[in-house]
């Protein structure tokens, strides 16, 4: 059987058009963008051109785009960079995030807490959407940063980033010049392919993206930083990226990122339609199953993610058996030291452990098609029946 890749939220295949755009910069045009000679200048021109295009995609200015190695680094730079600035000013600050963030945000917040920063977490409703009233109550006079993802990677729930930015504006209007500023950061990794990304429309001050979720390679990402945001670098040893991110530029990666965004801007509408129809078909076919629940609802979800819990069937076992049939999906559970921890996202959504343990994530992408639905459903049905028969 032909293999089926339904794990596009984990990573995507590099689009051949992206590969074609970046290849010259791995080979003939291999210069270091920091070198003065022509090899370097050619590389620098490619970086400049890519930065301009990316800035345009986000409705930003070119000096507001900082290239990084990916979303983990962008999130770290956004959070640690802002915190470090205020700590260097001897300010006592407070920062807020949601309970359903990617570990790249959650663990950075945990680290900030260890360093003595006051940290708060906001919950989500049963569909995995942030409780905005709870967030409003948690904002204090010394809150300098709110970090809420644009769309969740496990259940695909879309977060009310624009509404949060309205709250931030309201809070800002109450503060004077002598008060601390307040910034909104969003980890937009999973949203870039499908949702509006204009930073003025969204009202965000910092925004994270990653190449390998949008058909560019692994190892490239970016952080949008609105001009004037108080932030310190977290890496040292070079003057690249306006002094905010030391290290030789990943020129092929940067070129690839710009090309990937260009393709999104042209093909997004068509792609969303296609993915919605594959997802609808999956949902319809799943009606023939018993004892299952969707985690999240399509109206508040990305078009490419479907998260399903099966009672009395472990997510990890489903994943492994599907893999034997050549089908790749993922699960929210993390198998650590022999014990299965239920996903922090499903737990925050109020899913009991017996449902959370049987959860799997199907994440579609550009290279999937409707013909993959039935073979997947057929394998899944056999696997679920088998696991349930074996279940104690
Ligand atoms: N944030 C979210 C929402 C993600 O889904 C991921 C990847 O799984 C990351 C951050 C980390 O991205 P990267 O692999 O680019 O560091």
């Amino acid at each position: 059987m032909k293999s089926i890749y339904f794990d596009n939220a984990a990573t995507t295949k590099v689009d051949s058009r992206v590969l074609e755009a970046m290849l010259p910069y791995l080979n003939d045009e291999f210069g270091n963008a920091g070198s003065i000679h022509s090899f370097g200048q050619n590389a620098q021109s490619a970086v400049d051109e890519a930065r301009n295009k990316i800035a345009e995609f986000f409705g930003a200015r070119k000096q507001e785009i900082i290239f990084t190695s990916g979303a983990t680094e962008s999130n770290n730079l956004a959070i640690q960079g802002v915190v470090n600035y205020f700590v260097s000013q001897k300010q006592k600050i407070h920062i807020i995030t949601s309970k359903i963030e990617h570990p790249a945000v959650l663990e950075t917040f945990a680290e900030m807490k260890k360093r003595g920063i006051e940290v708060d977490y906001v919950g989500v409703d049963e569909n995995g959407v942030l409780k905005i009233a709870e967030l409003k109550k948690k904002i204090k006079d010394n809150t300098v940063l709110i970090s809420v993802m644009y769309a969740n990677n496990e259940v695909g729930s879309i977060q009310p980033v624009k509404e949060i930015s309205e709250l931030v504006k309201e809070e800002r209007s109450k503060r004077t010049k002598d008060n601390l500023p307040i910034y909104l950061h969003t980890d937009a990794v999973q949203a870039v392919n499908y949702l509006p990304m204009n930073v003025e429309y969204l009202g965000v001050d910092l925004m994270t993206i990653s190449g390998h979720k949008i058909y560019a390679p692994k190892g490239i990402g970016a952080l949008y930083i609105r001009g004037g945001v108080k932030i310190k670098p977290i890496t040292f040893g070079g003057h690249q990226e306006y002094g905010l991110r030391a290290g030789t530029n990943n020129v092929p990666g940067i070129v690839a990122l710009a090309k990937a965004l260009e393709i999104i801007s042209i093909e997004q509408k068509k792609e969303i339609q296609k993915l919605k129809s594959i997802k609808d078909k999956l949902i319809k076919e799943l009606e023939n199953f018993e004892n299952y629940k969707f985690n999240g609802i399509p109206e508040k979800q990305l078009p490419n993610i479907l998260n399903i819990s099966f009672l009395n069937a472990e997510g990890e076992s489903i994943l492994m058996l599907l893999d034997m049939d050549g089908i790749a999906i993922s699960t929210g559970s993390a198998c650590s030291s022999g014990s299965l921890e239920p996903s922090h996202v499903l737990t925050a959504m109020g899913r009991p452990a017996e449902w959370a343990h049987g959860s799997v994530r199907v994440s579609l992408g550009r290279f999937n098609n409707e013909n993959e639905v039935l073979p997947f459903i057929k394998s899944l049905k056999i696997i679920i029946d088998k696991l349930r028969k074996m279940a104690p």
Side-chain angles (χ1 to χ4, degrees):
M1 197 177 86
K2 219 174 139 262
S3 63
I4 297 175
Y5 186 76
F6 277 170
D7 200 16
N8 290 275
T11 197
T12 54
K13 177 171 157 176
V14 174
D15 190 299
S16 52
R17 294 165 290 182
V18 171
L19 182 65
E20 198 186 328
M22 70 184 283
L23 273 180
Y25 298 94
L26 286 162
N27 194 240
D28 294 337
E29 304 285 350
F30 62 90
N32 183 330
S35 303
I36 294 164
H37 47 62
S38 307
F39 289 91
Q41 282 176 28
N42 289 348
Q44 186 59 51
S45 306
V47 170
D48 289 343
E49 198 186 317
R51 200 189 304 275
N52 281 328
K53 280 193 193 161
I54 294 169
E56 197 183 330
F57 182 91
F58 294 112
R61 289 175 294 172
K62 68 177 192 326
Q63 63 272 28
E64 295 176 319
I65 305 295
I66 302 297
F67 294 116
T68 66
S69 64
T72 302
E73 187 188 334
S74 291
N75 286 340
N76 270 270
L77 175 57
I79 300 160
Q80 295 200 53
V82 167
V83 165
N84 288 353
Y85 173 83
F86 292 105
V87 168
S88 76
Q89 301 295 304
K90 312 260 180 292
Q91 299 282 357
K92 208 172 152 8
I93 57 166
H94 172 238
I95 57 177
I96 306 175
T97 190
S98 85
K99 289 185 181 168
I100 59 160
E101 297 298 309
H102 186 274
V105 167
L106 279 182
E107 289 180 24
T108 308
F109 264 69
E111 182 59 30
M112 296 302 98
K113 193 173 176 186
K114 270 192 224 155
R115 293 188 201 164
I117 307 298
E118 192 189 354
V119 170
D120 253 319
Y121 298 89
V122 179
V124 294
D125 65 17
E126 70 278 12
N127 296 318
V129 179
L130 189 96
K131 290 179 175 161
I132 196 118
E134 189 180 317
L135 170 64
K136 190 171 179 177
K137 277 193 209 142
K138 289 203 157 127
I139 299 175
K140 302 183 185 191
D141 292 347
N142 65 338
T143 306
V144 292
L145 182 70
I146 298 174
S147 180
V148 175
M149 66 198 333
Y150 196 173
N152 179 266
N153 49 302
E154 283 185 34
V155 298
S157 54
I158 299 169
Q159 305 305 316
V161 174
K162 199 170 159 46
E163 269 177 86
I164 299 170
S165 79
E166 294 301 325
L167 268 189
V168 169
K169 264 190 216 144
E170 197 185 309
E171 173 63 25
R172 216 171 257 153
S173 70
K174 290 189 228 153
R175 296 189 186 185
T176 69
K177 266 215 227 109
D178 299 329
N179 295 136
L180 290 165
I182 176 166
Y183 302 132
L184 174 59
H185 167 245
T186 191
D187 173 347
V189 165
Q190 298 289 345
V192 188
N193 286 315
Y194 312 111
L195 300 180
M197 293 299 294
N198 185 289
V199 290
E200 295 308 327
Y201 166 80
L202 288 171
V204 294
D205 302 297
L206 301 116
M207 185 164 72
T208 291
I209 66 159
S210 176
H212 73 106
K213 313 285 181 170
I214 59 170
Y215 311 94
K218 293 151 193 66
I220 184 69
L223 179 66
Y224 159 75
I225 310 177
R226 187 180 290 279
V229 164
K230 307 287 189 200
I231 187 163
K232 287 215 168 237
I234 58 170
T235 47
F236 302 91
H239 297 105
Q240 294 87 352
E241 300 304 297
Y242 309 102
L244 269 175
R245 199 273 184 174
T248 303
N249 280 130
N250 173 356
V251 182
I254 291 168
V255 170
L257 196 62
K259 185 68 185 176
L261 292 173
E262 180 193 315
I263 296 171
I264 292 171
S265 66
I266 298 167
E267 300 185 353
Q268 185 180 60
K269 253 197 193 145
K270 215 174 77 197
E271 198 163 304
I272 291 174
Q273 279 318 108
K274 183 182 92 168
L275 297 181
K276 271 190 176 159
S277 88
I278 304 177
K279 184 167 160 176
D280 285 349
K281 193 165 174 179
L282 277 168
I283 292 173
K284 197 161 178 313
E285 291 296 333
L286 282 159
E287 282 168 10
N288 300 321
F289 286 62
E290 280 170 9
N291 287 323
Y292 74 95
K293 270 185 192 164
F294 291 117
N295 298 307
I297 51 171
E299 307 84 81
K300 294 188 175 177
Q301 216 173 28
L302 293 173
N304 70 319
I305 293 186
L306 194 59
N307 190 303
I308 322 137
S309 284
F310 295 97
L311 201 59
N312 298 325
E314 289 286 346
E316 299 279 325
S317 309
I318 302 172
L319 182 155
M320 284 188 270
L321 292 173
L322 278 172
D323 187 42
M324 289 168 77
D325 286 349
I327 300 169
I329 52 124
S330 89
T331 161
S333 318
C335 190
S336 55
S337 56
S339 73
L340 284 168
E341 287 289 325
S343 132
H344 68 288
V345 178
L346 297 178
T347 304
M349 287 164 70
R351 292 285 180 274
E354 68 267 29
W355 281 100
H357 280 308
S359 97
V360 292
R361 176 187 71 184
V362 174
S363 53
L364 310 168
R366 184 173 295 163
F367 305 111
N368 291 122
N369 62 64
E370 281 199 24
N371 298 334
E372 292 170 315
V373 172
L374 290 182
F376 164 70
I377 290 286
K378 195 175 154 203
S379 281
L380 183 67
K381 183 92 179 73
I382 295 169
I383 288 165
I384 301 281
D385 288 347
K386 187 163 144 187
L387 289 173
R388 282 183 175 159
K389 274 198 198 112
M390 281 160 49

